[in-house]
Structures are given as structure tokens and as C-alpha cells.
Amino acid sequence: MVRQRLIYGPLMIAGVVGLLAADWKLEQSDYGHLLPPRADGALFAALAVVLAAVGGLEMCRMARAKGLRPLAAAAAVFAAALAVSPFLARLDARLTMLPVWVLAGGVLLAFAAQAAARRTENAIANIAATVLAAGYVGGLALFVVWIRLDYATTGLLLYLAAVKFTDIAAWATGMRFGRHKMIPWLSPGKTWEGLAGGIVAAVGVSLAIAVPAGLLGVWQAAVFGLVLAPVGQLGDLAESLLKRDSGLKDSGSLVPSFGGLLDILDSPLGAAPVGYLLLKLLTV
């Protein structure tokens, strides 16, 4: 398993860096002028749609393991619409409130899908599971899209690197030095030593990216990493809570040795609202 992680982990990192580079290149190239005004980040927004839909389906898989019958198609559409709503809202000033409208429309969609299924048994639980699946994935993913739109590729890279370097360093430090369990009843592998290593890594990578790019000053970058690291770990624990309840080891089997998409995106999703807020506060 460790060997597979060492193989697939760098491949995923390379893929993310490649995507960010392509997103930036598209915006800077002549082809970028073919896009509608204020359509920067279109490539990343398209990816967010796909990831949110798949993540919503994985959430429905966990709900089904609990004996619920979530409305998977509605959840996938709802999650994807939430994720892309900031990008679409940026295209026209009249669409400023689009994320809120999508949220309201998605809840109504869940009710409509349940009614179309002609079932009243467990309707409350099924609708709730559908809304949770979409809200958890799409509702948090929209903050990632907002980071890309407001702080360009550099801000997105900073946020992703701070969160994922925390994951990597926490895992490596915990494997080597971990002695004191953080929350053994929920995630036996997480240790306080691992968290400390993750925080150091997050601060270091934040300084390395944000300061040379002129996005944040030294102390602002340090604060960004210091705060975002434990928040990202909370996002990881949040998904662990859902998996424990469902009885599933992984949310899916998309990536060998890593599990499903949500097993990879749990910490970035959980940290996204705080990451966006930190950038708002620290770049003033």
C-alpha cells in the first residue's frame, strides 16, 4: 500500500500541477480571448463540475450502505450546479445571487425527484441524504472555484499545496514519530505528532509560494498555513465520520490505495471556506 501511494501520489500531484498550468496558459493565450468576458478559470470550473458530480455519487454510495435510497442523479446535478455557480455568476452582474438560487433550486429538485419516484417511505431521510450529498461536495467546492476566480492560479495553488502538503507530511510524520493518538475512535492513524509535522509543512509551502508571488507577506503566509493545516485535517475527519457510519472503508475505488474521490478531496473540501476567508482577510 505504501509503495502504491508513493507511485500514485506523485502522479496525482503532477496531474494537478499540469491542470493548473493549462488553466493559466488558456487564460494568457490568444485562445483565452475566445472566451466570454470574465470567463477566466473556465477549465478549472469545468473540472469542478465533473469532480462535484462524482463526489455527490460517492456520497450517495455511502448513504445506500446505510440502507437509505438517496436520489443519486439529483444529487450529482445539484452538486455540479453548486460547484460551477460562482463561475457562471461572474459572467453576468445579474447573476450575482446564482449560488443561492442554485441552493434553493437544488433542494426543490430533491423533493421533485423523490415525488417522481412515487415513494413516501423514508422520504425525509432520502431527501436529507440527497441534499447532504450535494451540499457537502458542491457547497464546499464552490469556495474552491471562488478561490480560483478571485486569486487566480497562484491563490488556488497556494490553497491546494497548503492542504495537501499537510496531508502528506502528517502521514509521513505520523508513520515515523506518531505516538499520541488524536481521535482513536474515529481515525486511529492520526496522531498529534503527525498534525505538528503537517502544520510545519503547510507553513513552509505557504511561505515558498505566497511570498515570492507577492500574494501574501511573510507573516500572512505563515498564518495562512498555520490555520489551514488543522482545518484541512478536520475536513479529513469529517469524511471519516461518514465512512464510519456507513461501514465503508473508502468512499469508492477510483484511485488504487487511496480509495474514492472523496478520500482524496476530503481535506481540500473541508478547508475551502476557511481558505477563501483567510485570503480575503490576509490580502487586504
Side-chain angles (χ1 to χ4, degrees), residues 158 206 210-222 224 278-279 282-283:
L158 168 65
S206 296
V211 176
L215 183 62
L216 298 173
V218 172
W219 76 265
Q220 290 95 337
F224 185 86
L278 285 171
L279 287 170
L282 296 174
T283 56

Side-chain angles (χ1 to χ4, degrees), residues 8-27:
Y8 288 103
L11 288 176
M12 286 189 291
I13 292 173
V16 171
V17 172
L19 172 74
L20 296 182
D23 189 47
W24 180 81
K25 280 284 189 181
L26 177 62
E27 183 180 339

Side-chain angles (χ1 to χ4, degrees), residues 37-38 86-98 101:
R38 301 178 63 81
F87 173 77
L88 297 178
R90 193 65 61 95
L91 299 179
D92 192 321
R94 294 170 296 182
L95 300 178
T96 303
M97 294 289 291
L98 184 61
W101 296 337

Side-chain angles (χ1 to χ4, degrees), residues 114-135:
Q114 180 66 39
R118 297 179 179 274
R119 294 193 307 265
T120 58
E121 182 181 1
N122 294 324
I124 294 176
N126 293 336
I127 292 171
T130 303
V131 173
L132 173 62

